[in-house]
């Protein structure tokens, strides 16, 4: 969505706390107005100190700064997943009129409108779906867009044949209907469509010059197996996947060419830090963004780098190496080498203290601090206690026992993963149970759905699922409101620590400073000091799994306390009368006496 009016910077900044405004001013000064201004900067404020609000203030100042200097201002917000992006965009959007979330850069032609017509464009993307195009077929929506763009380039190509080739695993008639109404439902940006057509024509010329088969020829070659209506073996499927992957990559590069980013914000950048200096196709697309014109790049992350990590803490990570790699991205090439040298000198001076040395330690420390502060800033919470954990109380868990059925579920999951051509699943399995039920949007689930269209492979998967308990939710048990094992040590602990305390009996948590003495069930021993739990996870599947399984268990306990043979079926729910219903008739509420 474009912005047509200049933002009121002071109004935005008035909504920030003093330390947040100071950070906004510092970052803006270092990136735009200082004599030795840097084009890249790291904002590393501690968790909960409002980094998103700082970004909001910075966006407002940048737009105001560039308002008279640029005909068009593009702000690109890059976030690890769409859920976090949607949450943060609502707060960032008030710096202007709002954001467009193109969860896939390839869908930019139908989500952004006309870039050139807008004074300011706010675009949000997620690297996993926008830059990493390993899933060659992509989504049905992407393939429908490709259908429209290819027809716009080659209007003589048969629309139905093209739809049959691009449909992937979607039903033939359904996909034909989709491509038919797609241009009516979506307004495709003409400039981006033209860029793609030009890139397609250039690609065809390059292929011809190199003696390769061009895109048009590859499409015509696939018409026979996919448009005949006969069953298709694996080779044409693989060839089609490669062709669609090439077209999606071409479209992604065309869309990135259309962007003219002035400010790029990488939120929690460490989740996709390989994009900063990697050599894979996704990193190449990212570098296209980072090196455009006079773009400024802000890295945002609350995760601190540890200057000292023992083996058992590292978990395979090398914090020093990661820190140095980030410095190389932030600093001009020469400055990064100077900082690395200072870190080495600082280490040697520290070691020499034991033998009476270290005379240059203070000098090296001061110079190192000055260099680092030129490209990064960090604000931490006020230490209210000597151990600097004034707001925290550490509670040791009683242990997270691993059960035999958990291991069997992992072995079954790994077997299914290998059958559908996916990678090791141990990190997923450690984080959540019943993954095949909850992993919507993950490559493993997409591969499983693709396999369902291939009878022989689908039968192998079905045999693994049939013989391995704990891989799928026991739906028949759930219909009887039977207990469902959480299937994961961490989730068992969380369930016991919340529902096991009786939390399912209360509609809200007991107030910390109540006006009146709470009665039952709030006065139960397990709920007397009950408070919120904060769960951290890198996987999008975890919140969904926790919400579903804990909500089911709370509902099960509640219904079994009211009905002896409670059932969890649509028919049983229809028979239950609500305890309180307030309706509206002739413009007024009725049934209000029931409230008393």
């Amino acid at each position: 969505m474009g912005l047509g009016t200049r933002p009121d910077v002071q109004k935005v900044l008035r909504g920030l706390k003093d330390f947040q405004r100071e950070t906004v001013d510092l970052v803006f000064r270092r990136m735009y107005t200082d004599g030795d201004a840097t084009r890249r900067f790291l904002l590393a404020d501690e968790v909960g100190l409002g980094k998103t609000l700082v970004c909001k203030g910075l966006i407002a100042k940048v737009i105001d700064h560039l308002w008279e200097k640029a005909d068009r201002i593009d702000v690109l917000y890059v976030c690890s997943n769409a859920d976090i992006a949607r949450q943060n965009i609502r707060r960032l959007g008030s710096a202007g009129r709002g954001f467009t979330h193109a969860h896939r850069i390839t869908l930019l032609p139908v989500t952004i409108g006309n870039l050139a017509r807008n004074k300011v464009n706010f675009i949000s993307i997620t690297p996993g779906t926008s830059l990493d195009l390993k899933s060659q077929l992509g989504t049905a929506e992407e393939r429908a867009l490709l259908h429209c763009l290819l027809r716009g380039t080659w209007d003589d190509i048969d629309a139905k044949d093209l739809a049959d080739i691009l449909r992937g695993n979607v039903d033939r008639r359904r996909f034909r209907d989709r491509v038919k109404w797609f241009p009516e439902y979506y307004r495709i940006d003409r400039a981006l469509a033209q860029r793609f057509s030009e890139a397609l024509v250039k690609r065809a010329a390059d292929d011809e010059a190199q003696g390769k088969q061009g895109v048009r020829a590859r499409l015509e070659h696939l018409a026979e197996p996919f448009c005949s209506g006969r069953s298709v073996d694996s080779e044409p499927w693989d060839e089609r996947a490669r062709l669609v992957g090439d077209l999606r990559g071409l479209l992604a590069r065309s869309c990135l060419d259309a962007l003219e980013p002035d400010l790029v914000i990488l939120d929690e950048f460490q989740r996709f830090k390989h994009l900063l200096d990697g050599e894979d196709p996704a990193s190449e697309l990212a570098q296209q963004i980072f090196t455009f014109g006079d773009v400024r790049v802000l890295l945002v992350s609350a995760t601190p780098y540890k200057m000292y990590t023992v083996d058992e803490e590292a978990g395979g990570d090398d914090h020093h190496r990661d820190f140095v790699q980030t410095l190389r991205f932030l600093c001009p090439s020469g400055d990064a080498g100077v900082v690395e040298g200072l870190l080495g000198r600082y280490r040697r001076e520290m070691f020499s203290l034991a033998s009476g040395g270290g005379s240059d330690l203070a000098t090296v420390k001061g110079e190192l601090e000055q260099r680092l502060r030129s490209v990064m800033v960090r604000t931490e919470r006020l230490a209210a206690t000597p151990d600097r954990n004034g707001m925290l109380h550490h509670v040791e868990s009683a242990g997270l026992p691993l059960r035999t059925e958990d291991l069997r579920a992992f072995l079954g999951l790994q077997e299914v993963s290998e059958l559908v051509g996916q990678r090791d699943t141990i990190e997923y399995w450690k984080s959540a149970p019943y993954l095949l039920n909850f992993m919507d949007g993950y490559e493993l689930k997409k591969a499983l759905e693709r396999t369902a269209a291939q009878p022989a492979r689908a039968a192998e998967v079905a045999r693994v699922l049939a013989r391995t308990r704990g891989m799928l939710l026991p739906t028949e048990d759930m219909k009887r409101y039977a207990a469902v094992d959480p299937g994961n040590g961490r989730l068992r602990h969380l369930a016991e620590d919340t529902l096991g305390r009786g939390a399912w009996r209360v509609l809200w948590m007991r107030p910390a400073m109540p006006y009146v003495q709470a009665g039952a069930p709030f006065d139960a021993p397990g709920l007397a000091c009950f408070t919120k739990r904060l769960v951290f996870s890198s996987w999008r599947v975890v919140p969904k799994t926790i919400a579903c399984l804990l909500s089911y268990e709370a509902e099960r306990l509640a219904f079994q306390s009211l009905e002896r043979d409670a059932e969890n079926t649509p028919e049983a729910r229809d028979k239950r009368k609500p305890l309180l219903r307030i309706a509206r008739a002739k413009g007024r509420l009725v049934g209000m006496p029931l409230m008393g």
Side-chain angles (χ1 to χ4, degrees):
M1 182 181 296
L3 172 64
T5 57
R6 194 167 187 163
D8 185 342
V9 178
Q10 293 308 314
K11 180 179 179 181
V12 174
L13 295 181
R14 278 197 298 271
L16 306 183
K17 299 183 183 301
D18 290 345
F19 74 90
Q20 293 167 341
R21 286 197 296 273
E22 289 175 6
T23 303
V24 170
D25 291 339
L26 171 63
V27 176
F28 178 78
R29 176 171 56 78
R30 287 297 307 135
M31 296 181 77
Y32 286 94
T33 61
D34 278 354
D36 60 342
T38 178
R39 293 177 56 179
R40 298 172 178 179
F41 201 84
L42 169 62
L43 170 62
D45 284 1
E46 193 176 350
V47 174
L49 293 187
K51 291 182 295 298
T52 303
L53 296 176
V54 171
C55 291
K56 172 181 169 181
L58 178 65
I59 289 171
K61 292 200 70 165
V62 170
I63 294 173
D64 184 68
H65 176 71
L66 298 176
W67 193 265
E68 305 292 346
K69 303 176 182 179
D71 295 330
R72 167 181 147 195
I73 304 167
D74 287 0
V75 178
L76 185 62
Y77 177 72
V78 186
C79 187
S80 59
N81 68 61
D83 297 328
I84 296 175
R86 279 188 287 268
Q87 173 184 319
N88 288 343
I89 280 169
R90 285 193 292 270
R91 289 185 283 177
L92 288 171
S94 58
R97 288 282 181 84
F99 274 77
T100 290
H101 176 58
H103 61 287
R104 293 175 183 266
I105 198 70
T106 48
L107 292 177
L108 201 61
V110 295
T111 55
I112 193 59
N114 194 324
L115 289 165
R117 292 179 183 173
N118 301 326
K119 177 67 176 179
V120 177
N121 294 295
F122 293 96
I123 306 103
S124 147
I125 64 171
T126 51
T129 53
S130 288
L131 303 177
D132 190 348
L133 303 177
K134 290 178 182 176
S135 173
Q136 294 176 319
L137 283 177
T139 66
E141 194 175 18
E142 285 177 285
R143 297 195 299 275
L145 173 60
L146 284 172
H147 184 279
C148 293
L149 295 175
L150 289 169
R151 287 273 295 156
T153 305
W154 299 313
D155 57 4
D156 61 326
I157 197 168
D158 187 274
K160 291 183 179 179
D161 286 354
L162 183 59
D164 290 345
I165 295 169
L166 295 177
R167 70 183 179 90
N169 297 315
V170 180
D171 175 77
R172 173 176 291 175
R173 180 178 297 177
R174 185 178 301 170
F175 192 75
R176 285 183 178 182
D177 289 342
R178 180 188 285 264
V179 299
K180 184 177 180 180
W181 57 252
F182 192 89
E184 300 174 7
Y185 188 80
Y186 290 107
R187 183 177 179 181
I188 300 175
D189 182 80
R190 291 182 181 180
L192 288 177
Q194 181 63 30
R195 280 180 179 272
F196 176 76
S197 293
E198 292 170 357
L200 190 61
V201 171
K202 184 179 183 301
R203 172 67 179 271
D206 292 343
D207 287 341
E208 184 179 353
Q210 297 174 25
K212 295 180 180 178
Q213 190 178 35
V215 172
R216 180 70 183 262
R218 292 166 71 186
L219 285 168
E220 291 171 351
H221 178 70
L222 289 170
E224 195 281 326
F226 285 103
C227 304
S228 63
R230 299 192 301 270
S231 60
V232 182
D233 58 25
S234 60
E235 186 175 347
W237 279 73
D238 294 340
E239 185 179 344
R240 177 178 65 175
R242 286 192 295 271
L243 174 58
V244 174
D246 288 346
L247 289 171
R248 290 175 64 227
L250 194 65
L251 179 56
R253 285 187 289 275
S254 301
C255 292
L256 288 175
D257 283 339
L259 290 177
E260 299 176 4
D262 295 281
L263 175 64
V264 178
I265 298 175
L266 305 180
D267 198 356
E268 296 298 340
F269 77 95
Q270 285 175 302
R271 299 191 179 199
F272 41 88
K273 60 188 177 184
H274 67 283
L275 298 179
L276 303 185
D277 55 6
E279 298 179 354
D280 56 289
S283 300
E284 291 176 5
L285 288 174
Q287 292 303 317
Q288 191 173 332
I289 298 172
F290 302 150
T291 57
F292 176 85
D294 198 29
V295 66
R296 302 296 198 272
V297 181
L298 178 67
L299 306 184
V300 180
S301 177
T303 307
Y305 290 102
K306 295 183 179 180
M307 298 305 290
Y308 174 74
T309 309
V310 295
D311 288 342
E312 59 267 25
E313 290 181 319
D317 293 333
D318 186 332
H319 292 280
H320 178 75
R321 182 193 61 209
D322 286 350
F323 182 64
V324 170
Q325 286 176 341
T326 302
L327 279 175
R328 290 172 184 163
F329 179 80
L330 292 171
C331 301
S333 55
D335 289 352
V338 172
V339 175
E340 288 183 60
L342 286 171
L343 287 171
R345 285 180 59 194
Y346 183 77
R347 180 177 184 272
R348 291 191 294 273
E349 290 293 321
M350 288 289 289
F351 276 120
S352 67
L353 288 173
S355 57
S359 58
D360 291 334
L361 181 60
T363 303
V364 175
K365 172 180 175 290
E367 188 175 351
L368 186 56
E369 287 176 343
Q370 182 181 359
R371 294 272 184 176
L372 293 179
R373 284 173 175 161
S374 69
V375 292
M376 64 184 67
V377 64
R378 178 172 175 83
T379 303
E380 296 189 352
R381 295 180 186 277
L382 177 67
T385 56
D387 62 0
R388 303 187 66 83
N389 283 324
M391 298 179 68
L392 302 176
H393 176 58
H394 186 67
V395 179
E396 291 285 350
S397 62
L400 307 173
L402 184 65
R403 297 183 179 178
T404 304
E405 53 266 34
D406 298 345
L407 295 174
R408 290 198 180 104
F410 164 67
L411 293 174
L413 180 68
Q414 186 59 35
E415 191 172 353
V416 167
S417 179
E418 292 169 357
L419 286 172
V420 301
Q422 292 298 299
R423 59 180 185 177
D424 182 31
T425 60
I426 191 166
E427 293 301 325
Y428 297 144
W429 168 78
K430 288 194 297 185
S431 299
Y434 307 112
L435 288 162
L436 298 182
N437 289 99
F438 293 116
M439 288 187 77
D440 296 325
Y442 282 80
E443 287 306 317
L444 176 58
K445 186 68 172 283
K446 291 178 183 177
L448 183 64
E449 291 169 348
R450 289 195 294 269
T451 301
Q454 304 171 46
R457 295 174 66 192
E460 291 183 66
V461 172
R463 282 193 289 272
V464 176
L465 296 177
R467 71 168 183 260
T468 310
R469 290 179 56 84
M471 289 186 65
L472 297 175
L473 283 171
T475 52
E476 292 303 316
D477 289 347
M478 297 175 78
K479 289 179 181 178
R480 297 182 288 105
Y481 271 131
V484 172
D485 178 39
N488 176 283
R490 292 188 177 101
L491 191 52
R492 289 190 192 99
H493 174 74
L494 182 61
E496 182 59 32
D497 194 40
T498 53
L499 302 179
R501 292 170 174 257
W504 62 273
R505 296 180 179 275
V506 297
L507 292 178
W508 54 81
M509 288 188 296
R510 179 178 177 174
M513 299 180 66
Y515 292 101
V516 295
Q517 186 65 34
F522 293 95
D523 58 356
L527 300 175
C529 298
F530 189 76
T531 186
K532 297 177 182 178
R533 270 65 175 161
L534 184 59
V535 177
F536 290 94
S537 176
S538 299
W539 305 110
R540 191 172 66 249
V541 69
V542 171
K544 182 191 296 185
T545 307
I546 293 174
C548 289
L549 292 177
L550 294 195
S551 295
Y552 167 77
E553 179 63 10
E555 183 179 314
R556 184 186 77 85
L557 293 169
F559 271 105
Q560 288 195 340
S561 70
L562 298 171
E563 301 178 20
R564 189 169 191 177
D565 298 313
E567 291 185 359
N568 182 24
T569 62
E571 297 77 17
R573 286 193 289 272
D574 288 341
K575 292 178 182 178
R576 296 186 182 105
K577 293 183 179 180
L579 298 180
L580 178 64
R581 175 181 291 167
I582 300 175
R584 184 182 295 274
K586 296 181 180 179
R588 67 184 187 86
L589 296 173
V590 296
M592 293 303 291
L594 294 175
M595 185 70 78

